Amino acid sequence: MLKILQIKNVALIGEATIDFEKGLNVLSGETGSGKSVIIDSINFALGAKADKTMIRHGENECVVTAVFDISKLNEAKRVLDDLGVEDADEMIVTRKLSQDSKSSLRVNGIPFTLGMLKSVTSLLVDVHGQSEHYSLLKESEQLAVLDKFADKKLADLKVKCAGLCSEFKENAKKAEEFGGSESERAIKADILKFQIEEIENADIREGEEEEELLIQKKKIQSAEKLAEAFSTVQNSLSGENLAIDNVNSAIRGISSVTGLDEEYQSMFDRLKTVAEELSDISIAAEDSLAGLEFDDETADRIEERLDKIKTLKRKYGQTEKDILDFAVKAREEYDKIINFDAEYLKLTQEKKRIVADISKVYGEISEERKRTAKKLIEKIAVELRELGMKDATFDIAFAPLETDENSTFSQNGGDRIEFLFSANLGEPVKPMSKIISGGEMSRFMLSLKTVISSYHEISTYIFDEIDAGISGKTAETVAEKFAKISKNIQVIAISHLPQIVSFSDCSFKIAKYTDNDKTYTGITKLSEHKKVEELVRLIGGDMNSESAVAHAEEMVKKAIACKNKI
């Protein structure tokens, strides 16, 4: 539920803090006092779009903070946890907007996007105002409302349907990969065959360019320098009175005394090792020198090979591995086209199976919706009668979506529905969007909210003047409906009706005042005495009138008695 709403510099509000309570919270006030600003501020905290026109004149920024108790809202806590807000029993939303249109948004101190915020707040609060009248007249919204009223079986069927629709799209994608006409496939096959043969005939290997060819090319370019180096090594080690010969002389000299001391033996062994190592180096230098016989044909062959790999890289990838991978995929695609008839038949059969499965699930979804619609129609009828519309008729018309095997199936099932309504006895039902009046719509919406309130985890309902166009006994019935809903769900309602204010568990008065030649909107939480004063004002009385005060007090007593029976 919404516990606290703090508003700063929004429209005519300088600073205000509203402490909401469980049950029915009612905000009342004169027309133009700023009641709608409260709803705008709540919507701002819930993630609604906003612009700098909401910032109070003369101020640089506006700030709204909303504190929600989510201790019992498991789904909202799960979503928050996924978004990085862990172990939260309280959700604090702080949103700012400045004159330069810069904004900031934090949830429990963590930066959020509007999308992230709305994914959570949609599970917390349901705001109903005059704009929702219009959205409910859309068929898509009507279908969403019906599905909200359904049980888990429909949700499971829609998940199954979504999976089948994904299969259908994947099947269509694979079929499209074959190409269009037979001539188009033939052209594509020729291109693939050329590409495959070009790569396979090149017979390239991973690492061939860097690890072999470029090294050989560098050796050829440095042949003279290498020959000089190896000759110097060999000439310095081998021959009379050179390194190896001198070491051997040392070995002969030390060999006669090795038996006198272990140290002399060690010196002899080390000299032998040096002699062997120098001999190996000399032989290696001689072999390397002999291997430096590069001819022009070898150089040309290496250059041609490098040019070939460069050409393939330009066409098929940045590395030899990329080129080889391209060939593998091209071969797979070529084989598919060559074996088109068999592969396409397989896809066609698979498509028929998927379409049949979708049609079956569509039928199951439709049947479940029709059972749900029957229950919803019955419950709405009861609520409408209690709201003084005893002759009203509500119905839901079903029609199939127009689809065929070449279309994209909807994950939401194959139904089109339309809410039908008649307010008068003997009049046939017609599309609600064409015939329902504003007052009738308000009562229908309240009936709907009353019916579906127990079918979700949402903890707060907000009604923005849903009581417009009603009075008298109907107004009292609306108040009773609010009281009934607020037994399990927090209700925040803006109202001008004394009947609804009398039923409030917590009352607020919104009023304008001036200070230093500036106009402000103030919000005051009413005591029981002040609540009676507000009721007197709403019924057009005066606190000096004993009868008006007695009437207001009687309304409160009657409301308390009624709530105790709910």
Side-chain angles (χ1 to χ4, degrees):
M1 63 173 243
L2 178 57
K3 294 168 59 179
I4 302 170
L5 183 70
Q6 294 178 330
I7 306 170
K8 184 177 181 180
N9 297 332
V10 178
L12 293 179
I13 297 177
E15 283 195 54
T17 298
I18 308 175
D19 295 313
F20 291 108
E21 297 182 6
K22 293 180 180 179
L24 177 58
N25 298 261
V26 180
L27 296 85
S28 59
E30 296 283 1
T31 299
S33 59
K35 298 187 294 296
S36 62
V37 178
I38 309 298
I39 300 299
D40 290 343
S41 298
I42 293 175
N43 282 328
F44 183 62
L46 295 177
K49 290 182 180 180
D51 58 58
K52 60 185 180 182
T53 58
M54 72 182 295
I55 302 173
R56 180 178 173 82
H57 177 68
E59 301 294 339
N60 292 323
E61 68 174 16
C62 66
V63 185
V64 175
T65 300
V67 182
F68 297 91
D69 178 357
I70 61 169
S71 57
K72 297 180 181 179
L73 304 181
N74 295 327
E75 181 63 15
K77 292 174 73 172
R78 183 193 64 76
V79 172
L80 274 178
D81 188 69
D82 290 343
L83 295 172
V85 182
E86 301 176 354
D87 301 323
D89 284 335
E90 194 171 73
M91 174 177 164
I92 303 173
V93 179
T94 302
R95 190 176 176 191
K96 298 180 182 179
L97 180 66
S98 61
Q99 287 286 5
D100 58 8
S101 297
K102 291 182 179 179
S103 62
S104 68
L105 169 60
R106 291 181 177 270
V107 174
N108 290 19
I110 299 174
F112 261 46
T113 65
L114 286 179
M116 292 163 65
L117 176 65
K118 286 190 280 191
S119 70
V120 185
T121 56
S122 63
L123 303 171
L124 306 179
V125 181
D126 186 339
V127 181
H128 172 72
Q130 296 299 317
S131 61
E132 192 180 355
H133 288 350
Y134 301 108
S135 66
L136 190 60
L137 298 180
K138 299 177 182 177
E139 290 183 12
S140 59
E141 184 64 21
Q142 292 172 359
L143 186 64
V145 167
L146 178 62
D147 286 357
K148 279 183 184 178
F149 186 64
D151 57 25
K152 188 175 180 296
K153 182 179 179 181
L154 179 60
D156 291 342
L157 285 170
K158 288 170 73 173
V159 169
K160 184 178 180 181
C161 184
L164 288 169
C165 288
S166 295
E167 285 187 50
F168 181 84
K169 288 180 181 178
E170 184 63 25
N171 178 277
K173 182 180 177 182
K174 288 179 179 178
E176 188 177 341
E177 288 173 356
F178 278 110
S181 65
E182 185 176 352
S183 61
E184 289 172 334
R185 290 195 300 275
I187 293 171
K188 191 171 185 179
D190 285 342
I191 294 172
L192 289 169
K193 184 179 180 182
F194 171 82
Q195 293 171 330
I196 293 165
E197 290 178 348
E198 184 179 28
I199 295 171
E200 289 181 347
N201 291 338
D203 194 26
I204 64 171
R205 302 179 301 280
E206 283 190 46
E208 179 181 1
E209 182 182 36
E210 295 287 341
E211 298 170 13
E212 297 178 30
L213 298 174
L214 289 176
I215 292 174
Q216 291 182 46
K217 180 179 179 179
K218 194 170 184 180
K219 284 182 179 180
I220 292 173
Q221 292 172 337
S222 306
E224 185 176 342
K225 187 176 182 181
L226 288 169
E228 182 180 350
F230 293 141
S231 295
T232 301
V233 170
Q234 189 178 24
N235 293 334
S236 299
L237 296 178
S238 301
E240 189 175 354
N241 293 323
L242 295 178
I244 295 175
D245 194 26
N246 289 332
V247 171
N248 285 329
S249 295
I251 291 171
R252 287 191 295 273
I254 197 70
S255 63
S256 61
V257 296
T258 55
L260 298 177
D261 193 299
E262 289 183 0
E263 182 181 351
Y264 307 153
Q265 180 64 47
S266 173
M267 191 180 300
F268 174 83
D269 292 339
R270 290 166 65 191
L271 282 169
K272 288 281 286 183
T273 300
V274 169
E276 291 171 359
E277 187 69 20
L278 290 174
S279 179
D280 287 345
I281 293 171
S282 178
I283 292 170
E286 184 179 3
D287 291 343
S288 295
L289 184 61
L292 289 176
E293 295 179 1
F294 299 115
D295 54 28
D296 291 340
E297 185 178 343
T298 300
D300 290 343
R301 179 181 58 79
I302 290 172
E303 284 296 333
E304 287 176 6
R305 189 65 176 163
L306 286 170
D307 287 342
K308 169 62 72 174
I309 293 174
K310 184 178 180 180
T311 299
L312 292 175
K313 281 185 175 182
R314 189 170 61 249
K315 290 181 177 182
Y316 307 119
Q318 296 181 349
T319 66
E320 289 100 329
K321 184 179 185 305
D322 291 340
I323 297 168
L324 294 171
D325 288 344
F326 182 94
V328 171
K329 292 178 181 177
R331 170 62 69 183
E332 291 174 354
E333 192 172 356
Y334 177 77
D335 289 342
K336 280 184 179 180
I337 293 175
I338 294 301
N339 300 311
F340 170 79
D341 291 338
E343 288 292 328
Y344 197 77
L345 177 61
K346 182 180 176 182
L347 282 175
T348 302
Q349 291 172 338
E350 181 69 6
K351 179 180 179 180
K352 288 181 179 179
R353 192 272 304 168
I354 296 170
V355 170
D357 288 347
I358 290 176
S359 297
K360 182 181 177 183
V361 174
Y362 269 20
E364 292 172 350
I365 288 174
S366 187
E367 287 302 313
E368 190 62 27
R369 279 180 173 148
K370 286 173 182 175
R371 282 193 290 271
T372 300
K374 185 177 179 182
K375 291 189 294 183
L376 181 61
I377 289 166
E378 291 172 353
K379 289 182 176 291
I380 293 271
V382 172
E383 297 296 328
L384 288 174
R385 283 197 296 272
E386 292 180 2
L387 286 168
M389 301 179 70
K390 62 183 180 64
D391 295 326
T393 304
F394 170 62
D395 201 356
I396 300 176
F398 280 77
L401 286 174
E402 295 181 3
T403 58
D404 57 52
E405 292 190 6
N406 295 316
S407 65
T408 300
F409 289 94
S410 168
Q411 298 183 7
N412 205 29
D415 296 311
R416 283 181 56 244
I417 73 161
E418 188 170 27
F419 283 2
L420 305 178
F421 184 78
S422 172
N424 302 304
L425 185 66
E427 289 294 317
V429 291
K430 295 180 180 179
M432 180 181 287
S433 59
K434 297 179 180 178
I435 65 166
I436 197 165
S437 68
E440 291 165 348
M441 191 65 186
S442 293
R443 280 179 276 181
F444 177 82
M445 287 302 303
L446 183 55
S447 300
L448 183 63
K449 297 292 184 184
T450 304
V451 168
I452 68 173
S453 61
S454 60
Y455 286 81
H456 49 60
E457 275 195 353
I458 285 175
S459 61
T460 301
Y461 271 168
I462 298 177
F463 294 101
D464 183 10
E465 296 191 6
I466 194 175
D467 51 24
I470 61 175
S471 60
K473 179 63 178 175
T474 301
E476 189 173 327
T477 305
V478 169
E480 291 175 8
K481 293 295 180 188
F482 278 169
K484 182 178 178 181
I485 295 173
S486 66
K487 280 292 183 180
N488 300 308
I489 296 176
Q490 180 192 47
V491 174
I492 299 172
I494 288 182
S495 178
H496 63 281
L497 293 177
Q499 293 91 333
I500 291 176
V501 174
S502 69
F503 269 78
S504 64
D505 298 303
C506 182
S507 298
F508 300 89
K509 184 175 181 179
I510 294 95
K512 285 195 293 188
Y513 65 93
T514 56
D515 184 21
N516 293 327
D517 297 325
K518 289 187 177 181
T519 303
Y520 294 87
T521 289
I523 300 104
T524 305
K525 194 170 188 176
L526 302 179
S527 64
E528 285 301 311
H529 175 71
K530 290 294 184 181
K531 178 177 173 178
V532 170
E533 282 189 10
E534 178 65 1
L535 283 172
V536 170
R537 182 189 71 80
L538 290 170
I539 61 179
D542 188 289
M543 286 300 291
N544 294 321
S545 169
E546 292 184 5
S547 61
V549 172
H551 183 201
E553 291 174 341
E554 181 61 28
M555 289 182 71
V556 173
K557 289 179 182 178
K558 186 176 178 181
I560 293 172
C562 182
K563 287 192 291 184
N564 289 336
K565 293 178 182 179
I566 296 175

